Amino acid sequence: MDEPSGLDRKPRGRGLTFSRRTLIAAGGVGLATPALGLAASTVPTSPAAAATGATKKVTIYAEQIGTTNQYGYGLEPGKPTIPGPLLEMYEGDTMEITLVNNTTQRLSIHAHGVDYDTVSDGAPINNSFNNPGETRTYIWRSHEMTAAAGRRFMPGSAGYWHYHDHAMGTDHGTAGVLRGLYGGLIVRRRGDILPDKTFTVVFNEMMINNKPSGSTPQFEANLGERVEWLAIGHGNQLHTFHLHAHRWADNRTGMLEGPNDPSIVTDNKDLNPGSSFGFQVIAGEHVGPGAWMYHCHVQSHSDTGMAGIFLVRNADGTIPAAASADIARFKGHMSQMSTTHDHTK
Amino acid sequence: MDEPSGLDRKPRGRGLTFSRRTLIAAGGVGLATPALGLAASTVPTSPAAAATGATKKVTIYAEQIGTTNQYGYGLEPGKPTIPGPLLEMYEGDTMEITLVNNTTQRLSIHAHGVDYDTVSDGAPINNSFNNPGETRTYIWRSHEMTAAAGRRFMPGSAGYWHYHDHAMGTDHGTAGVLRGLYGGLIVRRRGDILPDKTFTVVFNEMMINNKPSGSTPQFEANLGERVEWLAIGHGNQLHTFHLHAHRWADNRTGMLEGPNDPSIVTDNKDLNPGSSFGFQVIAGEHVGPGAWMYHCHVQSHSDTGMAGIFLVRNADGTIPAAASADIARFKGHMSQMSTTHDHTK
Amino acid sequence: MDEPSGLDRKPRGRGLTFSRRTLIAAGGVGLATPALGLAASTVPTSPAAAATGATKKVTIYAEQIGTTNQYGYGLEPGKPTIPGPLLEMYEGDTMEITLVNNTTQRLSIHAHGVDYDTVSDGAPINNSFNNPGETRTYIWRSHEMTAAAGRRFMPGSAGYWHYHDHAMGTDHGTAGVLRGLYGGLIVRRRGDILPDKTFTVVFNEMMINNKPSGSTPQFEANLGERVEWLAIGHGNQLHTFHLHAHRWADNRTGMLEGPNDPSIVTDNKDLNPGSSFGFQVIAGEHVGPGAWMYHCHVQSHSDTGMAGIFLVRNADGTIPAAASADIARFKGHMSQMSTTHDHTK
């Protein structure tokens, strides 16, 4: 069976040695401390700050998932997942991705948002891909904002990005993307609030995280947890992502920078091919626990199964009886646990 | 015949007892005064402010429109409209919607943007709908922004939202939405500028406000009036809303918060299923009175009739001769008056 | 053969008398100086500032391109280009477009973003078009932001806009747009940073700048040049514009207004019919020179040729050997030079 993906999946035992935090590309002492997420400063103040950027080495295995026509990236051989592991870094950090191609097809890894030389682009036109069986390292850098003329700044790398194959099937990786070779990439600005959990949700043709109608992911959190959503669009179709009972500012963080932040607040946003966005909400804030729908708002898409459940449990982790009934109504049987990246574990 | 929709339609006699303002969910003395719209403060300053939230009770009747296959929500029995009545509230207010289902089909009312328990979601999976003939109350709350960690704020409810059926035909209300069960919902922030008029314009499959080519709404204002547009997308298709000779900031209000507001100014915006946005313009500002086109900018859509007229009359309410000729050219005969929500009546 | 378009195309000789700067509608002494782009003030401070607006007269010739079914706007008779000339003005300026229709079909010019009377709208319903052989002047005005109630401002005209035919084939100019009658229009705010070059890239059905797969434009710059992209969508389809290795803030300028600017940074944005956006990047910043892909991220669109190359040369103008190989790989033969509007020439 295909695995729930990711770096931070619920550990099966306390002995699991890697954790979500280790994948934040931050070797420096200061970066992985709890204080970081709440640091007051959000402005890079000196070149020295940039100099603190850490380099994180990650090995990713691209593999077929069992005998299906699905493929995934994984952190361990034999454990490909869809989506692939959530990768995170701070502005200024570097990530060295050693990609092991354990398939019989040409493939690559192409990142949005970060900095790379052409040899790490992941595009066949740049001769940047792995032949079958080949191992190759892709280097992704990132940077903080820099002053431009006047009062303006060239933007830093922070954002809710993603990565995907750019070489399987066609020079754009259409077969690889269709079959599951994609994942989330978050570049954080120093001082950003860290969530308790991150959900990666990918609308890809008529599937969610490559799951068809009836087996779409169920995302779960306890009432009051700070939950981060990273939404990614792939394929060929028009999609819009709608979440019931929770809304976010349509800006970099999903929160307002202050009372004069002009951002639109929304609960429905276009999610078209190659796009991604993210936001944080407090699970059940203002609305309480329950089984809340998320779905594509293109009517024929939601009707044919591009829909799933965001289960907000009670604060103590128990499931409200009504929510259980609602989920049973939605599926007939409890859906499988979805991929969540739990920052608290 | 189907009715022009809405709360604030031009009264047929002075005896009409409800007015637009009564539907702003604001029982408090201070909220419905003219001063409100121009209040200097735009920032919630204390919990006490939130405590002033009022509760407004509204009864809405969902009915078939004559013997057509169209349905509408209305404020009075026998008077369904498409779109349904424009509903407005201030952040912190609550609206209790008593929905009377006078049809032979299951239906509901689902709101975007506001806060509700699962029982008021309007989704069948939450067992939240009206059976034929059934009356049921849905409670929508709202909230002001709240401080998060650092300098950030979790966003308040203010926005150009909408409501729609989520239960007729399918679990997503596809038949209800297709046939007209939708309307506008505006949550205002205290201090927001109130418009003189609000137009609700809904792109739904190849129709505008469920009117096909040749009978699309004509929106009207006098030169200099502050006109608010609330644009809503439904159905399955890609649409973009384009307005001639008027433009707006692509942010929460359509105006700039100050000289450093980075928002893009636009006159053409994607309007895809489940999305909504709004803005205010001064009718004819910088361009004068006239018959201005609005239309979907997807070429085949505008060519096949997803287009209408925004008539800016002279300041004294007379119609420029050229505008009359332009409208005659557009339609061959004066189009029917559209639904407008006139704040000045 | 159809010409590379535009005002600022690489001059074939030093004798070429018109330059990009002359098309900035700014007769005033202060406006065309190099200092302008770096002026500290970005805020209109007085009505007097607006009064400095200049009027620029431009004659544009709409013509068939050879014996093809393509049409273009051009600055000289016999030299139509696709896209048409890049037009630029400052907020407060006026542009008088004398359009000469050297074709056998009805056509017009309709601008987004700027101010015009109905007679200059370009829409047939406003009787605003050129019959075959007819010459007609369209007047476009612009304005700076103006104070509204409270702290708010009605937005000024600054933006990455565009113009297009609105009369050939249908009342919306569908045939004219399909065949190439479109171009870029930039309204700058005083104090905006001027780029070294501007590229206009138009996604129109399955073409880029009306070039099909295999002959799409190649955009070029030297490492470190400030390059401005103006992206425009036309036709009927869903498109998203993706640029490798370069990203921008999704706001008015593509740069951040300051450390608290909440804008999302992106490298992939929806580019649907009637829409346009722009941004500035430093060519190769953080990534170095090379042949970088740009393409529509709708997978089937990129696979069938909605893709091209952004060539970042070395700082001295030489082409890295790897880039030459990459381009050869992309095309088999060097693609033709694309339309660039070079501010440095």
Side-chain angles (χ1 to χ4, degrees):
Chain A
M1 285 292 291
D2 49 322
E3 282 279 292
S5 79
L7 208 45
D8 312 307
R9 60 183 178 272
K10 191 168 291 185
R12 292 183 185 114
R14 292 296 172 188
L16 198 70
T17 53
F18 62 85
S19 77
R20 174 193 167 280
R21 292 199 184 278
T22 66
L23 255 282
I24 298 184
V29 168
L31 295 185
T33 64
L36 178 79
L38 300 173
S41 168
T42 61
V43 189
T45 52
S46 73
T52 64
T55 296
K56 178 72 184 179
K57 298 175 193 294
V58 182
T59 300
I60 293 182
Y61 303 85
E63 302 184 343
Q64 192 171 359
I65 296 180
T67 57
T68 70
N69 69 346
Q70 303 285 291
Y71 289 76
Y73 296 112
L75 290 172
E76 299 178 76
K79 297 192 174 176
T81 61
I82 303 176
L86 176 68
L87 302 178
E88 298 176 70
M89 57 202 297
Y90 280 98
E91 286 185 334
D93 293 345
T94 294
M95 193 169 276
E96 291 186 14
I97 305 289
T98 297
L99 179 65
V100 181
N101 180 0
N102 285 337
T103 81
T104 59
Q105 298 197 52
R106 182 184 79 169
L107 54 77
S108 74
I109 189 163
H110 169 72
H112 284 243
V114 290
D115 306 328
Y116 43 79
D117 302 334
T118 53
V119 295
S120 290
D121 182 291
I125 78 125
N126 297 114
N127 219 13
S128 174
F129 58 86
N130 297 48
N131 280 312
E134 189 181 2
T135 294
R136 182 186 179 109
T137 296
Y138 299 76
I139 298 177
W140 302 342
R141 299 179 302 272
S142 64
H143 62 272
E144 296 177 329
M145 69 175 73
T146 54
R151 297 172 303 92
R152 295 220 170 83
F153 291 79
M154 302 305 286
S157 303
Y160 287 98
W161 305 104
H162 59 116
Y163 62 85
H164 59 86
D165 173 53
H166 208 299
M168 185 186 286
T170 78
D171 282 349
H172 292 271
T174 299
V177 169
L178 177 64
R179 295 171 178 180
L181 288 173
Y182 54 72
L185 169 63
I186 301 177
V187 182
R188 302 189 188 277
R189 194 183 291 178
R190 284 174 171 74
D192 279 353
I193 301 173
L194 285 184
D196 295 314
K197 293 183 173 186
T198 301
F199 303 137
T200 303
V201 57
V202 184
F203 282 10
N204 187 17
E205 301 299 76
M206 296 302 291
M207 303 173 289
I208 301 176
N209 293 5
N210 272 42
K211 302 288 186 177
S213 174
S215 60
T216 54
Q218 175 170 304
F219 299 103
E220 303 196 7
N222 291 354
L223 183 70
E225 282 190 301
R226 178 173 287 272
V227 173
E228 182 173 66
W229 295 75
L230 168 51
I232 300 166
H234 273 305
N236 297 285
Q237 298 173 306
L238 172 75
H239 293 304
T240 68
F241 175 82
H242 175 47
L243 177 59
H244 282 217
H246 298 77
R247 347 93 212 116
W248 63 92
D250 185 17
N251 62 12
R252 185 180 71 84
T253 64
M255 290 169 275
L256 299 176
E257 289 291 313
N260 297 328
D261 183 332
S263 300
I264 290 173
V265 178
T266 190
D267 63 8
N268 194 83
K269 180 166 172 165
D270 290 359
L271 186 56
N272 293 320
S275 292
S276 59
F277 62 87
F279 58 87
Q280 295 178 7
V281 296
I282 306 300
E285 190 180 38
H286 303 295
V287 298
W292 300 105
M293 297 191 77
Y294 72 90
H295 58 89
C296 180
H297 215 297
V298 174
Q299 291 293 142
S300 64
H301 293 187
S302 51
D303 281 343
T304 52
M306 287 195 75
I309 296 291
F310 173 34
L311 172 60
V312 179
R313 297 179 296 240
N314 295 315
D316 64 4
T318 57
I319 300 178
S324 295
D326 290 351
I327 291 170
R329 199 174 290 116
F330 180 64
K331 290 228 188 176
H333 56 85
M334 265 310 261
S335 68
Q336 66 192 88
M337 287 297 294
S338 67
T339 300
T340 68
H341 302 272
D342 192 335
H343 294 214
T344 61
K345 300 287 164 33
Chain B
M1 285 293 291
D2 49 321
E3 282 279 292
S5 81
L7 211 43
D8 312 308
R9 59 183 178 270
K10 191 169 290 185
R12 294 185 183 112
R14 292 297 173 186
L16 198 70
T17 52
F18 62 84
S19 77
R20 174 193 167 280
R21 292 199 185 280
T22 65
L23 255 282
I24 299 184
V29 168
L31 295 186
T33 65
L36 178 78
L38 302 174
S41 168
T42 61
V43 188
T45 52
S46 72
T52 64
T55 297
K56 178 72 184 177
K57 298 175 192 293
V58 183
T59 300
I60 292 181
Y61 303 85
E63 301 184 342
Q64 191 172 0
I65 295 179
T67 57
T68 70
N69 70 346
Q70 301 286 290
Y71 289 77
Y73 295 113
L75 290 171
E76 299 177 76
K79 299 192 173 176
T81 61
I82 302 176
L86 176 68
L87 302 177
E88 298 176 71
M89 56 203 297
Y90 280 97
E91 286 185 334
D93 294 343
T94 295
M95 192 168 277
E96 291 186 16
I97 306 288
T98 297
L99 179 65
V100 181
N101 181 0
N102 284 337
T103 81
T104 59
Q105 299 196 52
R106 182 184 79 168
L107 54 77
S108 74
I109 190 165
H110 168 73
H112 284 242
V114 290
D115 306 327
Y116 43 79
D117 301 336
T118 53
V119 294
S120 290
D121 181 291
I125 77 126
N126 298 113
N127 218 14
S128 174
F129 60 83
N130 297 48
N131 280 311
E134 189 181 2
T135 294
R136 181 187 179 109
T137 297
Y138 299 76
I139 298 177
W140 301 342
R141 299 178 302 272
S142 64
H143 62 272
E144 297 176 330
M145 68 176 73
T146 55
R151 299 172 302 92
R152 296 221 168 83
F153 290 80
M154 301 305 287
S157 303
Y160 288 98
W161 304 104
H162 59 116
Y163 61 85
H164 60 86
D165 173 52
H166 209 298
M168 185 187 285
T170 77
D171 283 349
H172 292 271
T174 298
V177 169
L178 177 64
R179 294 172 178 180
L181 289 173
Y182 54 71
L185 169 63
I186 301 177
V187 181
R188 301 190 189 277
R189 195 183 291 179
R190 284 173 171 75
D192 278 353
I193 300 174
L194 284 184
D196 295 316
K197 294 184 171 186
T198 301
F199 303 136
T200 303
V201 56
V202 183
F203 283 10
N204 187 17
E205 302 299 75
M206 295 302 291
M207 304 173 290
I208 301 176
N209 294 3
N210 271 42
K211 304 288 185 177
S213 174
S215 59
T216 53
Q218 176 169 304
F219 298 103
E220 303 196 6
N222 291 354
L223 184 69
E225 282 190 303
R226 178 174 286 273
V227 173
E228 182 174 68
W229 295 76
L230 169 51
I232 301 166
H234 273 305
N236 297 285
Q237 298 172 306
L238 172 74
H239 292 305
T240 68
F241 175 81
H242 175 47
L243 178 59
H244 282 217
H246 298 77
R247 346 96 214 114
W248 63 93
D250 185 18
N251 62 13
R252 186 180 70 84
T253 65
M255 290 170 276
L256 299 177
E257 289 290 314
N260 297 329
D261 184 332
S263 300
I264 289 173
V265 178
T266 191
D267 63 8
N268 194 84
K269 181 166 170 165
D270 290 0
L271 186 57
N272 292 320
S275 291
S276 59
F277 61 87
F279 58 87
Q280 295 178 7
V281 296
I282 306 300
E285 190 179 37
H286 303 295
V287 298
W292 301 104
M293 299 191 77
Y294 72 89
H295 58 89
C296 180
H297 214 297
V298 174
Q299 292 294 140
S300 63
H301 293 187
S302 52
D303 281 342
T304 52
M306 288 195 74
I309 296 290
F310 172 34
L311 172 60
V312 179
R313 297 179 297 238
N314 295 315
D316 64 4
T318 57
I319 300 178
S324 296
D326 290 351
I327 291 170
R329 198 174 292 115
F330 180 64
K331 289 229 189 179
H333 57 84
M334 265 310 260
S335 68
Q336 68 192 84
M337 287 296 294
S338 68
T339 301
T340 67
H341 302 272
D342 192 335
H343 294 214
T344 61
K345 298 287 163 33
Chain C
M1 286 292 293
D2 48 321
E3 282 281 293
S5 79
L7 210 43
D8 312 308
R9 60 182 178 272
K10 191 168 291 186
R12 293 184 184 113
R14 291 297 173 186
L16 198 72
T17 53
F18 63 85
S19 78
R20 175 193 167 278
R21 292 199 185 280
T22 66
L23 255 281
I24 297 185
V29 169
L31 295 186
T33 64
L36 178 79
L38 300 175
S41 169
T42 60
V43 188
T45 53
S46 74
T52 64
T55 297
K56 177 74 184 177
K57 297 176 194 292
V58 182
T59 300
I60 292 182
Y61 303 84
E63 301 184 342
Q64 191 171 1
I65 295 180
T67 56
T68 70
N69 69 347
Q70 302 286 290
Y71 290 77
Y73 297 113
L75 290 172
E76 299 178 77
K79 298 193 174 175
T81 61
I82 302 175
L86 177 67
L87 302 177
E88 298 176 69
M89 57 202 297
Y90 280 97
E91 285 185 335
D93 294 344
T94 295
M95 193 168 276
E96 292 186 15
I97 305 288
T98 297
L99 179 65
V100 181
N101 181 359
N102 284 338
T103 81
T104 59
Q105 299 197 53
R106 182 183 79 169
L107 54 78
S108 74
I109 190 164
H110 168 73
H112 284 243
V114 290
D115 305 327
Y116 44 79
D117 301 335
T118 53
V119 295
S120 290
D121 181 292
I125 80 126
N126 297 114
N127 218 14
S128 173
F129 58 83
N130 296 50
N131 279 313
E134 190 181 2
T135 294
R136 182 188 180 106
T137 297
Y138 299 75
I139 299 177
W140 302 341
R141 299 178 303 272
S142 65
H143 62 272
E144 296 176 331
M145 68 176 74
T146 55
R151 297 172 303 94
R152 296 222 168 82
F153 290 80
M154 302 305 286
S157 302
Y160 287 99
W161 304 105
H162 60 115
Y163 61 85
H164 60 85
D165 173 53
H166 209 298
M168 185 186 286
T170 78
D171 283 349
H172 292 271
T174 299
V177 169
L178 177 63
R179 294 170 179 181
L181 288 173
Y182 53 72
L185 169 63
I186 301 177
V187 182
R188 300 188 190 278
R189 194 183 292 179
R190 284 173 171 76
D192 277 354
I193 300 174
L194 284 184
D196 295 314
K197 295 184 170 185
T198 302
F199 304 136
T200 303
V201 56
V202 184
F203 282 10
N204 187 19
E205 301 300 76
M206 295 302 290
M207 303 173 291
I208 300 176
N209 293 3
N210 272 41
K211 304 288 186 176
S213 174
S215 60
T216 53
Q218 175 168 304
F219 299 103
E220 303 196 8
N222 290 354
L223 184 70
E225 283 190 301
R226 178 173 285 273
V227 172
E228 182 174 68
W229 294 76
L230 168 51
I232 300 166
H234 272 305
N236 297 284
Q237 298 173 307
L238 172 75
H239 293 305
T240 67
F241 175 80
H242 175 47
L243 178 60
H244 283 216
H246 298 76
R247 346 92 212 119
W248 63 93
D250 185 18
N251 63 13
R252 185 179 71 84
T253 65
M255 289 169 277
L256 299 177
E257 290 290 314
N260 296 328
D261 184 332
S263 301
I264 290 172
V265 177
T266 191
D267 63 8
N268 193 84
K269 181 167 170 165
D270 291 359
L271 186 57
N272 292 320
S275 291
S276 59
F277 61 87
F279 58 87
Q280 295 178 7
V281 296
I282 307 300
E285 190 178 38
H286 303 295
V287 298
W292 301 106
M293 298 191 78
Y294 72 89
H295 59 88
C296 180
H297 215 298
V298 174
Q299 291 293 140
S300 63
H301 293 188
S302 52
D303 281 342
T304 53
M306 288 195 75
I309 296 291
F310 172 35
L311 172 59
V312 179
R313 295 179 298 239
N314 295 316
D316 64 4
T318 57
I319 300 178
S324 296
D326 290 350
I327 291 170
R329 197 173 292 116
F330 180 64
K331 290 232 189 175
H333 58 84
M334 263 312 260
S335 67
Q336 67 192 87
M337 287 296 295
S338 67
T339 301
T340 67
H341 302 272
D342 191 335
H343 294 215
T344 61
K345 301 286 163 35

